[in-house]
Amino acid sequence: MRCYIISGISRQVIEEILRGNLRTLELRNVINVATALNTKLGDCVFITTAKNVDLGKGVTGIIAEVEGKEIVSHSTFFARNDYFEECEMTVVRLRVRPKALGRLVQVFRKDLLSPVEGEAIQVDHFLAR
């Protein structure tokens, strides 16, 4: 199945999603934000611990369904005597529902700010080789 790929998520967060304790991911990485901005309710996402540069055939993760999306902008101010700085960050919160364990078969990406997509298959068992 074709899925959007969310990469670089810690193993502890993925385990919490599988247990049902965590349902919302707050994404700050520019590639994950660009990908998440393109998702719609009901879309498939593949969530993995692998970094974006390491995505390829055989990478494992979880397949989940998008149940909600929220786009939030944060502004941070820093001031000192003659110096004033403002930093703005866009964060995407994805509410997900885990469906299955999966493995990537193929990765599709165009450029840096394009969504990262892939073809994933559901994994029912692992083969020891």
Side-chain angles (χ1 to χ4, degrees):
M1 71 183 70
R2 184 102 174 207
C3 297
Y4 289 102
I5 301 174
I6 305 297
S7 59
I9 305 300
S10 74
R11 182 161 305 284
Q12 292 88 352
V13 169
I14 290 177
E15 288 172 1
E16 289 295 314
I17 291 171
L18 286 172
R19 281 192 217 111
N21 296 334
L22 180 70
R23 300 189 55 121
T24 304
L25 293 172
E26 188 168 285
L27 305 170
R28 297 169 187 251
N29 174 292
V30 69
I31 296 170
N32 286 340
V33 167
T35 300
L37 285 172
N38 287 281
T39 63
K40 297 184 266 324
L41 297 181
D43 279 353
C44 170
V45 291
F46 183 82
I47 305 167
T48 182
T49 58
K51 301 293 183 195
N52 189 50
V53 296
D54 296 329
L55 292 177
K57 184 177 180 178
V59 170
T60 59
I62 61 172
I63 298 170
E65 181 181 336
V66 176
E67 289 188 331
K69 178 171 77 170
E70 182 182 3
I71 302 167
V72 181
S73 290
H74 295 290
S75 291
T76 305
F77 300 98
F78 176 75
R80 189 177 64 191
N81 297 340
D82 304 1
Y83 183 73
F84 181 80
E85 182 178 333
E86 178 184 5
C87 179
E88 190 170 317
M89 178 186 339
T90 299
V91 175
V92 178
R93 292 185 183 137
L94 277 186
R95 184 177 171 102
V96 297
R97 183 172 51 87
K99 295 177 90 176
L101 295 176
R103 176 178 290 139
L104 285 177
V105 176
Q106 190 174 7
V107 177
F108 310 102
R109 49 181 135 194
K110 296 175 187 157
D111 56 33
L112 181 64
L113 294 178
S114 295
V116 180
E117 296 181 74
E119 189 70 32
I121 57 171
Q122 186 172 332
V123 177
D124 297 324
H125 61 279
F126 289 96
L127 298 174
R129 293 182 185 210

